[in-house]
Amino acid sequence: MPNRTGVVPDQAALAAAFRDLHGRRLHGFAMLLTLDPDRAALLAAEALAAGAARADALRHPERGAAWLRARVVGAARRAGRPAPRASGTLELLGVDHATAAALASLDVASRAAVIATITEGFDPRDVATIVGVEGRRLARLVERGTERFLAARAMALGLVPPEGPTIDRLHAAARRAIT
């Protein structure tokens, strides 16, 4: 017999278990993807609600996790790319300023691919589900996203000098001095 939400009790228990299983990590993914705690909470909650309603079809943990992240990525893409907000919440996740700046430098698909691959360790077929790209296009997206992320993070940490005419003159002077 359905309860007041129209869900039969076994489905309600399955939906609750689904939310318990995926909620925390999905929220972390959404935080890294949006770099905005409020937006992340909203996107994760919407995806979890949709996933909980389909929990019987999403029983495989990795496939369910990929499906949820794909929902978050799709919603983030549709919402556009607002400026990330500074947040102490990201620091609680271990995200320093340089990492946040590097993530912010990526488009949504690249950011999702980097997070899903490097941070969360998803299988390539699940990353393909998350970002909606497969095969060589996925490999290029992950490779280029990772390269851009690492370069932006190094720049934010001051490990790579910025490019420009002054730096070019310094490099030319250094080459002349060495040869």
Side-chain angles (χ1 to χ4, degrees), residues 1-17 19 52-56 59:
M1 176 169 179
N3 62 19
R4 62 186 157 92
T5 62
V7 178
V8 294
D10 289 342
Q11 288 177 327
L14 181 60
R19 285 189 297 275
R54 296 180 39 138
D56 56 335
R59 285 182 187 247

Side-chain angles (χ1 to χ4, degrees), residues 139-151:
R140 280 194 306 273
L141 178 69
V142 170
E143 181 180 341
R144 289 179 183 159
T146 301
E147 287 172 0
R148 287 194 314 263
F149 170 78
L150 293 174

Side-chain angles (χ1 to χ4, degrees), residues 29-124:
F29 173 85
M31 289 275 294
L32 293 173
L33 184 71
T34 65
L35 302 173
D36 178 334
D38 297 331
R39 191 168 171 218
L42 177 67
L43 295 179
E46 289 173 350
L48 275 171
R54 296 180 39 138
D56 56 335
L58 298 171
R59 285 182 187 247
H60 190 281
E62 286 82 17
R63 304 302 88 77
W67 186 91
L68 289 166
R69 282 155 180 76
R71 283 289 282 227
V72 169
V73 170
R77 282 178 170 159
R78 286 188 299 278
R81 189 174 174 179
R85 298 180 338 186
S87 170
T89 309
L90 292 174
E91 291 172 1
L92 293 175
L93 292 175
V95 178
D96 60 15
H97 172 72
T99 301
L103 287 170
S105 74
L106 302 175
D107 61 271
V108 172
S110 296
R111 194 178 313 156
V114 167
I115 296 164
T117 302
I118 295 173
T119 305
E120 296 194 294
F122 275 100
D123 181 91

